[in-house]
């Protein structure tokens, strides 16, 4: 006797009321399984995806607003003459002259070209003057710091610095 025959024999041995109850219970279990194993996970995933889409749309809108603001600010700074570039000078001469104008000439020990960049060394330079000079050439000439090493020197407010500068800053 195989499994199917055993089930049929069991089924025929039940009272009609028991058969109805067993069918109703089976249908209820089937619907419960379909709901909890299929329907609810799909609906939860759908809700999470809708929330993710809303978050991504909000982020996209923020990025577009920020890009518009950046373009606007970039245009304003150019109109105000804040982004001058190198003004026809080489990067090497601009860095050398502007450092001397800021009072860093005595601390500047070496300036040399490095491809399209400039390496510059300072010893016992005033930290405040050095930072002011870097901010000024960045803002006015679009010079950026590629890398820098700054160490405390002997004396209050003095530093030794080695840095590499390039055109194309802020």
């Amino acid at each position: 006797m195989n499994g199917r025959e055993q089930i049929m024999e069991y089924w025929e041995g039940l009272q009609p009321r028991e058969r109805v109850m067993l069918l109703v219970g089976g249908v209820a279990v089937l619907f419960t399984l379909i709901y909890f194993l299929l329907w609810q996970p799909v609906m939860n995933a759908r809700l999470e995806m809708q929330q993710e889409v809303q978050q991504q749309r909000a982020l996209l809108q923020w990025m577009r607003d920020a890009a518009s603001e950046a373009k606007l600010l970039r245009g304003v700074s150019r109109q105000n003459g804040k982004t001058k570039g190198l003004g026809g000078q080489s990067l090497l001469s601009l860095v050398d002259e502007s450092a001397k104008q800021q009072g860093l000439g005595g601390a500047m020990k070496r300036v040399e070209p490095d491809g399209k960049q400039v390496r510059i060394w300072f010893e016992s330079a005033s930290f405040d003057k050095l930072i002011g000079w870097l901010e000024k050439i960045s803002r006015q000439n679009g010079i950026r710091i590629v890398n820098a090493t700054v160490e405390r020197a002997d004396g209050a407010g003095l530093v030794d610095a080695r840095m590499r500068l390039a055109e194309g800053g802020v």
Side-chain angles (χ1 to χ4, degrees):
M1 196 184 250
N2 63 25
R4 180 178 177 176
E5 290 174 0
Q6 287 178 340
I7 293 173
M8 290 304 291
E9 187 179 315
Y10 174 77
W11 182 259
E12 290 173 4
L14 294 174
Q15 296 292 323
R17 192 178 340 162
E18 291 174 331
R19 288 180 192 168
V20 170
M21 287 178 58
L22 197 55
L23 280 173
V24 169
V27 169
V29 167
L30 180 65
F31 281 123
T32 302
L33 287 174
I34 288 172
Y35 177 78
F36 284 109
L37 295 178
L38 295 175
W39 185 260
Q40 190 178 22
V42 168
M43 289 297 113
N44 287 344
R46 182 175 176 255
L47 181 62
E48 288 175 10
M49 285 183 192
Q50 286 175 337
Q51 291 172 346
E52 180 70 21
V53 166
Q54 287 176 345
Q55 291 173 349
Q56 293 298 323
R57 284 183 179 153
L59 179 61
L60 177 62
Q61 186 60 44
W62 178 84
M63 287 180 173
R64 286 180 177 161
D65 293 344
S68 297
E69 185 177 346
K71 286 179 185 176
L72 179 67
L73 290 174
R74 197 174 299 134
V76 168
S77 70
R78 284 189 182 124
Q79 289 173 0
N80 292 339
K82 290 185 178 181
T83 306
K84 296 178 185 171
L86 300 180
Q89 286 184 288
S90 71
L91 180 61
L92 181 68
S93 65
L94 176 77
V95 167
D96 184 55
E97 286 178 25
S98 63
K100 289 176 181 174
Q101 289 172 356
Q102 284 294 119
L104 293 167
M108 189 170 39
K109 297 303 177 191
R110 194 163 136 192
V111 180
E112 66 183 37
D114 183 14
K116 293 185 177 185
Q117 301 174 354
V118 170
R119 289 186 189 189
I120 187 164
W121 286 260
F122 294 97
E123 290 181 9
S124 298
S126 165
F127 179 76
D128 293 337
K129 286 183 181 180
L130 183 64
I131 295 301
W133 170 68
L134 288 170
E135 190 277 329
K136 183 177 179 182
I137 65 169
S138 173
R139 182 177 32 85
Q140 289 184 350
N141 304 103
I143 305 298
R144 66 183 167 89
I145 301 171
V146 176
N147 65 29
T149 303
V150 180
E151 298 171 349
R152 184 175 57 186
D154 294 334
L158 299 179
V159 293
D160 293 336
R162 292 181 311 274
M163 54 190 67
R164 191 177 318 159
L165 307 175
E167 186 178 3
V170 220

